[in-house]
Amino acid sequence: MIIAPSLLAGNHAAFGRDAVRVSKSGADWLHLDIMDGHFVPNISFGPQVVKAIRPLSKLFFDVHLMCAKPEVLLEPFAEAGADEMIVHVELGEQVSHLILKIKNLGKKVGLAVNPLTEISLVQPHLDKIDLLLVMTVNPGFGGQEFIHETLPKIQQAEAWRLEKKLKYRISVDGGINNQTAAECARVGADTFVAGTSLFGQRSLKVAINKMRKIVNACDPALADLKV
Ligand code: DX5
Ligand code: ZN
């Protein structure tokens, strides 16, 4: 299982400090949300921020590109130190080319699908990706509520993975807390992106440890207990 805190929920005046904090917390990856003000109605940060925090952390950098034209950003993010780049299936015809380009840059490749997008659109790409990101909120902002209607998509992604004997990770992103992470784990998710629920805790280490135990047990009921 992978737990990937999202820096978007960190202190935007101190990204470096928060990247170090995440590195010391027992997290597996650092999730970096890139928003361009076109694909989503918000702007976050770019390759220069990623480059600046790269020397501060040995964690795997999971770069989520919520961008209308990721093509021009792939090289800059690869050079900045991304380990994986995730593009959105909503970009349509560009997707196959983007996947190939990310691979040719020597990076892991992820494909994301929004809550309102048919899961069937990802199917032609499944044998070429390392990770499928099922968005569990509409992308653009942290701190939104988990959309339960996305659970069947995770289930479908897991069914295809078994059926086609593929190895892509199934990641969930948006509104993930101990309760919703366990619900997603039950239907096949293995990678958990969480911003608000983790950064909101006094100790990131304790919060991550607890999420790991609850997800391992796949039991949402444990979220209310002290574990
Ligand atoms: C949403 C981003 C998420 C976001 C999750 O557009 O893709 O990664 O940071 O934040 P929370 O966990 O607060 O929903
Ligand atoms: Zn994200």
Side-chain angles (χ1 to χ4, degrees):
M1 171 216 326
I2 297 285
I3 295 185
S6 166
L7 199 63
L8 189 72
N11 179 349
H12 287 224
F15 278 143
R17 207 170 57 204
D18 274 341
V20 171
R21 191 175 158 219
V22 172
S23 303
K24 291 180 177 162
S25 68
D28 305 284
W29 291 0
L30 182 65
H31 186 83
L32 298 148
D33 286 303
I34 314 302
M35 304 177 178
D36 68 347
H38 291 277
F39 187 77
V40 289
N42 196 8
I43 291 179
S44 58
F45 50 86
Q48 276 170 306
V49 169
V50 175
K51 191 176 178 182
I53 60 173
R54 184 66 278 189
L56 305 175
S57 171
K58 288 197 167 63
L59 289 179
F60 182 94
F61 277 13
D62 184 36
V63 175
H64 179 190
L65 298 168
M66 286 161 273
C67 305
K69 291 182 182 164
E71 164 89 46
V72 293
L73 297 168
L74 299 180
E75 258 176 70
F77 276 110
E79 277 164 23
D83 293 296
E84 170 166 271
M85 287 182 273
I86 303 170
V87 291
H88 269 261
V89 74
E90 291 78 16
L91 297 176
E93 281 178 2
Q94 306 174 46
V95 172
S96 301
H97 170 69
L98 292 168
I99 290 175
L100 198 65
K101 188 154 181 189
I102 297 169
K103 271 187 198 249
N104 287 341
L105 286 164
K107 305 297 175 184
K108 297 267 189 214
V109 49
L111 186 63
V113 55
N114 283 342
L116 292 172
T117 304
E118 289 285 332
I119 187 72
S120 59
L121 290 187
V122 306
Q123 222 186 347
H125 307 289
L126 291 177
D127 59 343
K128 294 169 206 83
I129 61 174
D130 299 292
L131 174 141
L132 179 67
L133 181 71
V134 178
M135 287 305 301
T136 43
V137 300
N138 291 308
F141 301 91
Q144 302 181 73
E145 207 163 309
F146 181 84
I147 301 173
H148 278 89
E149 286 74 13
T150 58
L151 285 170
K153 282 183 168 171
I154 302 164
Q155 211 161 9
Q156 179 63 74
E158 164 74 334
W160 281 330
R161 185 163 64 172
L162 289 170
E163 188 189 306
K164 299 173 198 283
K165 299 190 174 60
L166 292 171
K167 290 206 169 74
Y168 55 84
R169 306 199 69 90
I170 301 176
S171 182
V172 286
D173 184 9
I176 298 298
N177 54 34
N178 290 337
Q179 169 90 30
T180 55
E183 287 177 49
C184 293
R186 272 189 174 176
V187 289
D190 53 50
T191 303
F192 305 86
V193 176
T196 310
S197 74
L198 292 179
F199 277 93
Q201 307 297 312
R202 200 162 47 89
S203 164
L204 210 50
K205 195 172 192 157
V206 171
I208 287 172
N209 205 20
K210 182 169 178 180
M211 184 175 277
R212 212 182 279 288
K213 281 186 183 157
I214 291 168
V215 168
N216 261 331
C218 265
D219 187 354
L222 286 177
D224 299 326
L225 301 175
K226 229 177 158 28
V227 287

